[in-house]
């Protein structure tokens, strides 16, 4: 059987790709860049990226249920594991 769920609709593909790019760099991988930093400068740079990414996410999600409005997409699912663990694992 088929599925009605389309996490990468063609009309949103470029927006999903753009979101995935900066979310991965600043947030998903950003927390690992912080954790594996070997210098204070590297940590500060990575930490700034995470803060910038979280601020950007907050501004998007303050007015939207999902990253691209009212539709769940791949971008939301790629962000979910990091956001779920953020306070308990990365922030404290």
């Amino acid at each position: 059987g088929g599925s009605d769920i389309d996490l990468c609709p063609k009309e949103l593909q470029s927006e999903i790709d753009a979101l995935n790019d900066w979310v991965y760099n600043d947030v998903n991988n950003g927390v690992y860049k912080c954790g594996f930093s070997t210098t204070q400068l590297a940590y500060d740079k990575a930490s700034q990226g995470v803060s910038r990414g979280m601020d950007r996410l907050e501004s998007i999600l303050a007015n939207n249920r999902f990253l691209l409005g009212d539709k769940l997409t791949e971008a939301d699912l790629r962000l979910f594991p990091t956001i779920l663990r953020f306070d308990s694992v990365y922030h404290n």
Side-chain angles (χ1 to χ4, degrees):
S3 175
D4 292 336
I5 298 172
D6 184 1
L7 297 173
C8 291
K10 190 170 257 185
E11 67 275 8
L12 295 176
Q13 188 63 56
S14 63
E15 292 173 84
I16 291 169
D17 290 344
L19 274 167
N20 284 341
D21 185 52
W22 70 261
V23 166
Y24 173 78
N25 189 54
D26 288 350
V27 181
N28 294 12
N29 197 40
V31 295
Y32 292 103
K33 291 177 191 176
C34 289
F36 290 108
S37 296
T38 57
T39 67
Q40 186 63 46
L41 181 63
Y43 175 84
D44 291 344
K45 182 178 179 183
S47 180
Q48 289 170 359
V50 172
S51 292
R52 184 176 54 249
M54 295 300 281
D55 288 345
R56 193 169 174 183
L57 288 168
E58 186 174 0
S59 70
I60 293 169
L61 293 171
N63 300 309
N64 297 296
R65 184 172 182 186
F66 300 107
L67 291 172
L68 290 173
D70 63 351
K71 183 164 180 55
L72 179 70
T73 68
E74 173 190 310
D76 298 287
L77 294 181
R78 291 180 68 144
L79 173 64
F80 183 73
T82 303
I83 293 301
L84 182 67
R85 299 171 14 152
F86 189 79
D87 282 342
S88 64
V89 175
Y90 304 121
H91 196 335
N92 291 324

